[in-house]
Every structure is written in structure tokens, then in C-alpha cells.
Amino acid sequence: MTARDQIDSLRERMGTAIIGQRDVIDRLLIGLLANGNLLVEGLPGLAKTRAIKALAKNLECDFSRIQFTPDLLPSDVTGTEVYYQSGGGGDFRFEPGPIFANIVLADEINRAPAKVQAALLEAMEERQVTVAGKTHVMEPLFMVMATQNPIEQEGTYPLPEAQMDRFLMHVLITYPPVEDEVEVIRLVRGEEIAANTASDDPGAATAKPPAIPQDAVFAARQEISAIHVAEPMERYMADLVDVTRNPDGFGDDLINWIEIGASPRASLALDKCGRTHAWLAGRDYVDPEDVRAIAPDVFRHRLKLTYAAQGEGVTPDRVVEEMIRQVALP
């Protein structure tokens, strides 16, 4: 099977475990193939954790889940030096923490204090962890997927802008339509029946298909790096980012809404995610629709809105919509 066939198979397998969240599945795959970290936000019970587990379960990888709580320590994430005594002496050995996995689920990341959140920074950006003066490199396949609950803010620690910017995309999960909710009920009921059948008759369990190998991800990344990006498309992406910094000349709304614009990481994210979106669509070039499709996820956490915009209930998505409307196509 080609890399595309294997990634398409991964997408379909995830679709059987998550009903009505095709966009979310695509965003998780974009994050994986673009070698980035994702912040997944949604109300409780909207399958944030389930979606990430569905990806890890169908991929040949090591998966770890870290439940962030107010009493968590940085060493609980990164690992620590442990003294081992043997014979007449002893030595310190590094015991890796749960961050040393291929896919790391940082559940409810905003429930841990800033010191613990900062423990993720080096791993997310530089793909390494330094403990007791020694640097430990992460695996070639490594990504952090953090979940965040937009309500129940009491007792939480908002992520600092520096850490937010390190996430490639900020993915929102919303309520499913009624038709999809019916399918969710049927899916979970079917899983319960299958689990009970397997416990009553172990021989009745059906064999699971083999996991998608990591080599498929690396091969896909190679193909994505060769996706053609025309010079006008590069300028279009740069223009979108520049509007967030210099909204003058694009109407009073953007001037009044944006306080601080996006960093150069936004331009890089538009390029990476745009090429990956085009590859998933089966094209060997990036067109404006690729950039427009992923622009809200790229800008959502990188724009700081004014107090006036927040008071009017203006969301980052509304700002991005206005930016796309105003910036001329190449």
C-alpha cells in the first residue's frame, strides 16, 4: 500500500469511532502529518479524548495520557533522576516520564500551574527534554495533543501566549447535529454489546486489522514536502498574517478588533497545514481553498483581541472571516 492508501485507511478507521466529526479527524491528521502539536478545545463529553485515542489506537505508536491537575509537578511530566545503589556504590539514572511517547495526550492542560505547562515547552518546540543538565531527545514521531475545557475556569491556569503560539493549530469541537447524535447512541450501544459478547465468549472476538506503521507517516511527510506552493500563494499567506499586524486600510472593524497580531509561526503554520490539506485532498499544489480551510485553526489562538471586541462578543473566527473577505486572492 502507498502512504496515501495507508493514511486514508487511518482516516476511515478513525471515522468509525467518531461520528460526525470529519473536520476534527482531518485536523488531527494534519497535525500528525505536518509534525506539529495541537490544542483541542470543546465542552465536556464531545469526544476530545476519544478522538485522540482513536488516532493512537490505529497507529503503530506509543501512547501516553497525562491528566493535568493543580498538584502536578514538572518531574511528573518529564521524568527525573533516580539514585540506584548496587554493591559498594551507586549512580543516578534517568527515569523517563510520560512525555516520552510518540503521541502524548495532555488532558485538561489548563488545570496545571504554569511551571508544569512550561515543562512541555522544550519538548514541543525542540523535541527534547533537559533534566539535571542532560538532554534527552524525543522519538522521531512525537506530538502533543492537549485538550482544554472552555468552561469551568475556576481553578484553572490560562495558557500563556508563548505556549499557545507553539501549538500548530487550535481545533474546536462543537455539538453534533441530532442525526449524528442518534448514530453516536447506536455506536456506543454496539460497543457495549461487542464488549459483553467478548467477555462471555472470548473466541467470538474478531481480529483487529494491523495498525498503520509509522513509516507511512514519514513517507507521507516526504510527499507533502514536495507539494508545490506558487509564489502568489506564498504572498497570499504572508498578506493574511500581515493584516493581523497592520489592519490599517482594511476597515475600522479589524482596526478595532485586533490588539496584537500573529507571529511568523502563523505564516509557517499556514504553509505546513496548507500543503498537508492539499495532499489529503489528492492535489500536488496548494490553492486558496487550502489556506482558507485551515486559517481559523491557525489564527484562532494567535490573535489577541481588544477589550472592545471581547465586549461585543467578537470571536477570533469572526476576525479571520473578515480577514479572508478583505485580503485579495492571488
Side-chain angles (χ1 to χ4, degrees):
M1 296 176 68
T2 65
R4 183 177 302 281
D5 291 336
Q6 291 175 311
I7 297 301
D8 285 343
S9 175
L10 176 59
R11 178 195 267 173
E12 291 306 314
R13 293 189 202 179
M14 292 175 65
T16 61
I18 310 162
I19 302 298
Q21 299 283 9
R22 179 62 65 177
D23 285 346
V24 174
I25 293 173
D26 285 347
R27 296 305 180 270
L28 294 183
L29 289 176
I30 288 173
L32 174 69
L33 298 177
N35 197 19
N37 305 294
L38 299 184
L39 178 62
V40 184
E41 182 174 320
L43 294 168
L46 292 185
K48 299 185 297 295
T49 302
R50 183 184 177 95
I52 296 169
K53 283 185 173 180
L55 171 61
K57 182 177 70 173
N58 291 289
L59 187 65
E60 190 181 80
C61 67
D62 292 327
F63 171 74
S64 70
R65 176 180 179 272
I66 309 171
Q67 179 63 54
F68 278 62
T69 56
D71 60 346
L72 202 67
L73 298 175
S75 58
D76 295 330
V77 175
T78 61
T80 188
E81 294 275 329
V82 178
Y83 184 74
Y84 285 89
Q85 189 170 4
S86 61
D91 61 337
F92 283 95
R93 301 178 198 168
F94 177 67
E95 289 293 333
I99 193 67
F100 286 90
N102 299 121
I103 295 180
V104 179
L105 169 57
D107 222 353
E108 295 189 295
I109 188 173
N110 58 332
R111 293 206 174 276
K115 201 169 188 178
V116 179
Q117 294 174 9
L120 288 174
L121 290 180
E122 185 180 15
M124 288 170 57
E125 187 71 9
E126 301 175 32
R127 307 303 168 99
Q128 65 182 31
V129 166
T130 303
V131 176
K134 296 180 181 177
T135 298
H136 307 273
V137 180
M138 320 302 292
E139 293 290 329
L141 179 64
F142 171 76
M143 69 181 302
V144 173
M145 294 188 181
T147 67
Q148 184 170 270
N149 187 343
I151 60 173
E152 299 179 16
Q153 294 301 316
E154 184 176 351
T156 63
Y157 304 81
L159 274 67
E161 284 76 5
Q163 184 167 341
M164 292 284 281
D165 201 28
R166 283 170 167 78
F167 287 104
L168 182 73
M169 292 191 296
H170 181 185
V171 181
L172 287 185
I173 300 182
T174 57
Y175 285 125
V178 175
E179 295 80 7
D180 288 342
E181 192 129 8
V182 172
E183 292 300 319
V184 170
I185 294 172
R186 293 171 181 167
L187 172 66
V188 175
R189 185 194 301 137
E191 290 176 345
E192 290 177 357
I193 293 172
N196 291 332
T197 302
S199 61
D200 293 338
D201 182 9
T206 57
K208 295 181 180 178
I212 304 299
Q214 292 187 19
D215 287 344
V217 176
F218 299 135
R221 288 178 180 175
Q222 256 190 328
E223 294 180 11
I224 290 168
S225 66
I227 294 289
H228 177 66
V229 184
E231 186 176 341
M233 285 305 308
E234 294 174 337
R235 182 56 189 260
Y236 181 56
M237 291 185 280
D239 284 344
L240 283 173
V241 176
D242 187 63
V243 168
T244 69
R245 305 167 188 164
N246 303 293
D248 299 345
F250 290 91
D252 292 338
D253 284 341
L254 290 179
I255 295 174
N256 295 330
W257 289 345
I258 301 175
E259 181 176 345
I260 300 176
S263 76
R265 283 197 183 103
S267 304
L268 300 176
L270 284 175
D271 176 55
K272 285 184 179 180
C273 297
R275 283 186 283 115
T276 307
H277 189 275
W279 185 86
L280 287 172
R283 282 181 278 100
D284 61 357
Y285 63 91
V286 175
D287 70 12
E289 287 309 310
D290 295 314
V291 177
R292 290 180 165 190
I294 51 87
D297 303 282
V298 169
F299 285 110
R300 189 174 284 134
H301 56 303
R302 290 186 167 95
L303 297 178
K304 183 172 177 57
L305 305 187
T306 63
Y307 285 113
Q310 297 175 43
E312 295 172 11
V314 176
T315 63
D317 286 15
R318 174 71 184 90
V319 176
V320 174
E321 181 184 335
E322 183 65 19
M323 288 162 46
I324 290 175
R325 191 181 71 84
Q326 294 261 13
V327 176
L329 287 169

